[in-house]
Amino acid sequence: MDTTSRPWEPPFAGTEEQAVLGALDRLRATFRWKADGLDAQGLRTTVGPSSLTLAGLLKHLAVCEDHKFAVKLAGAPMDPMWDDNGWDEDVDWELTSAVDDPPEKLYDLYDQAVARARARVDAALADGGLAGPVVETGPDGRPANLRRLVLDMVEEYGRHTGHADLLREAVDGRVGEDPPDGWQPVSGDGWRWPQR
């Protein structure tokens, strides 16, 4: 398979590290494609009685990337961009406040959070691989490992990419499992394909 036109495609017979990280990056790319190229109205579209929006998902997944791969990975603080938040008043602040954010800000928040997460994961891989311990602990108090954090993020994206499928179809009918060959984001300028 020519992966240059499909850089999100994980290897078919790669190592465990390539498979796990490839699965996460494929979901990131699929989610980003589902959310790509929309104006404020498109990003604020809801389906049925739900208040969930693609705007909210962009911001929520940006928060998840920073929390998972800064706080839970290394005990580092969240990126300063999150300092001025409303979580004390609203535990779903990122989901609800996103409808007031301009599209460019949302795409940049997401793209930058993914870039930071990739850099942090790459550093952790170099320091102990997927089996390397992280700051997050399990119920027994023992540290989790990087593999667990990455797979938890795969689960997070699996859930929300399904939501994004429904929301994007409601906006303009876009459907599909993966981006089309050669796809590149048209919104934001911070998205970069990983060089793994």
Side-chain angles (χ1 to χ4, degrees):
M1 169 176 278
D2 175 15
T3 57
T4 58
S5 66
R6 299 173 62 84
W8 53 83
E9 187 67 40
F12 285 107
T15 65
E16 178 192 19
E17 183 178 302
Q18 290 170 328
V20 170
L21 296 177
L24 177 55
D25 277 325
R26 181 181 189 177
L27 283 165
R28 284 171 170 155
T30 301
F31 172 77
R32 186 61 169 80
W33 172 61
K34 294 291 181 172
D36 191 40
L38 295 174
D39 61 12
Q41 182 178 347
L43 287 172
R44 294 177 186 144
T45 297
T46 60
V47 174
S50 175
S51 62
L52 191 63
T53 64
L54 285 167
L57 289 176
L58 278 163
K59 199 168 186 177
H60 173 70
L61 287 170
V63 167
C64 290
E65 293 276 6
D66 273 337
H67 189 259
K68 185 81 63 188
F69 297 120
V71 178
K72 289 186 174 192
L73 174 65
M78 294 279 284
D79 191 84
M81 74 172 44
W82 303 116
D83 287 350
D84 185 24
N85 68 66
W87 284 310
D88 288 340
E89 295 80 37
D90 180 2
V91 295
D92 291 327
W93 167 80
E94 74 276 12
L95 291 166
T96 58
S97 67
V99 297
D100 297 324
D101 294 329
E104 303 78 26
K105 177 181 179 182
L106 293 168
Y107 290 120
D108 286 343
L109 279 174
Y110 177 79
D111 292 345
Q112 292 170 20
V114 169
R116 284 190 299 275
R118 284 181 177 142
R120 290 171 179 142
V121 168
D122 287 347
L125 286 168
D127 195 38
L130 288 173
V134 300
V135 170
E136 175 79 357
T137 59
D140 61 1
R142 293 186 317 173
N145 60 31
L146 181 58
R147 181 184 298 105
R148 173 62 190 255
L149 291 187
V150 173
L151 291 174
D152 282 353
M153 201 61 165
V154 167
E155 177 198 8
E156 188 79 20
Y157 270 97
R159 177 182 318 114
H160 294 314
T161 301
H163 295 138
D165 283 337
L166 296 172
L167 290 164
R168 184 58 186 247
E169 186 174 3
V171 172
D172 62 6
R174 178 179 284 181
V175 295
E177 184 177 329
D178 288 319
D181 288 357
W183 172 77
Q184 293 289 323
V186 297
S187 51
D189 61 2
W191 181 264
R192 304 289 180 264
W193 297 113
Q195 303 298 312
R196 299 201 194 281

